[in-house]
Amino acid sequence: MQKRFPSLSLSSYGAGWSANRRIAIVAAVVAALLAVATAVAWLSGGNNGHQVLDSAAPAPASSTSSSKAAPKPAAGSGSVPHPPRIAEPVAYARAAAQMLWSYDTRTTSRDQQLAGMRAWMTSETKYADWASVVGQVPDPVLWSRMADQDQHATGTALEGHYPGAFKQALTEDPSAITKAYIYVVTVNGKQQIAWKKGGAGAEERAVTLAVQCRPSHDCSLAAIAPSVTQ
């Protein structure tokens, strides 16, 4: 049987938010969750259960203007799609999750993968946790081994929603969101993986993302949570 190397997946390569980034992001989103311990409790745990798309949390007004938060890849992006011009948090998070769950080592180098992923990030360094995104990508040696097997994957986002804790925090302090306009969104979906000699498989995926959507701007990715919260 053809051996399948580890897939590029959020469940296998989670680096987690650094303490400083987590504090900055959570403080910007929810004033009531400034303490590190509270933030960790909020973003830890969770399961892979599916929930109906929930739009109870407020979203910024739609806009067709381009976002200043997405730097252009410096080394080309290979198979990584360009960030969409979307101004709605859940829709952008679903697109971002599909991007994170998709890769093609046959046509894309690790550097290109990283460059393409970086284009989705906010340029506001105070809120951008690039390390949490880099942590999802296998190291150069493993990427090379995956490329030897022509490993590639396609992600599909089945649904996205605001976690209950995020909605509750917004209810308690609606004005907290207006500092950085960062929304917490959980996306559930699946990842289909294939490799040489007809090897294939599929796995369920779930991820909690911090998405920045300022009014009159397109959304961008701020960070990936170290674990899923529903």
Side-chain angles (χ1 to χ4, degrees):
M1 180 181 293
Q2 181 66 49
K3 180 180 179 181
R4 191 187 87 190
F5 289 98
S7 64
L8 173 58
S9 69
L10 297 169
S11 60
S12 302
Y13 298 96
W17 275 331
S18 65
N20 291 336
R21 292 298 185 192
R22 183 164 55 243
I23 294 171
I25 292 170
V26 176
V29 179
V30 184
L33 300 180
L34 292 177
V36 175
T38 305
V40 172
W42 179 35
L43 291 173
S44 62
N47 53 62
N48 290 332
H50 296 277
Q51 298 184 18
V52 177
L53 176 63
D54 194 326
S55 58
S62 297
S63 171
T64 57
S65 63
S66 61
S67 174
K68 298 179 181 179
K72 295 181 179 179
S77 58
S79 62
V80 183
H82 293 293
R85 298 179 62 181
I86 296 176
E88 198 282 314
V90 173
Y92 188 87
R94 292 182 62 177
Q98 290 191 170
M99 178 274 294
L100 292 167
W101 295 332
S102 303
Y103 63 91
D104 193 340
T105 63
R106 301 168 302 177
T107 61
T108 307
S109 68
R110 183 177 183 272
D111 287 345
Q112 288 176 318
Q113 184 75 23
L114 289 172
M117 294 167 74
R118 192 173 187 89
W120 290 66
M121 297 292 295
T122 176
S123 61
E124 296 185 38
T125 57
K126 181 179 180 180
Y127 307 114
D129 186 4
W130 175 234
S132 70
V133 178
V134 174
Q136 314 310 309
V137 181
D139 62 50
V141 173
L142 181 54
W143 186 275
S144 178
R145 293 175 63 197
M146 291 164 63
D148 289 341
Q149 298 300 317
D150 292 342
Q151 191 164 312
H152 54 285
T154 301
T156 302
L158 300 177
E159 68 86 34
H161 62 273
Y162 299 108
F166 176 70
K167 292 188 292 182
Q168 180 180 351
L170 279 180
T171 300
E172 295 174 356
D173 186 1
S175 65
I177 197 73
T178 61
K179 180 178 180 180
Y181 287 95
I182 292 178
Y183 299 79
V184 177
V185 182
T186 293
V187 180
N188 293 291
K190 64 180 180 179
Q191 183 187 52
Q192 295 180 314
I193 310 167
W195 57 96
K196 276 183 177 180
K197 298 182 179 179
E203 299 176 337
E204 292 186 353
R205 292 288 179 234
V207 63
T208 298
L209 305 173
V211 175
Q212 185 177 51
C213 298
R214 289 193 179 280
S216 301
H217 286 80
D218 296 326
C219 297
S220 56
L221 180 63
I224 300 173
S227 57
V228 177
T229 179
Q230 296 290 350

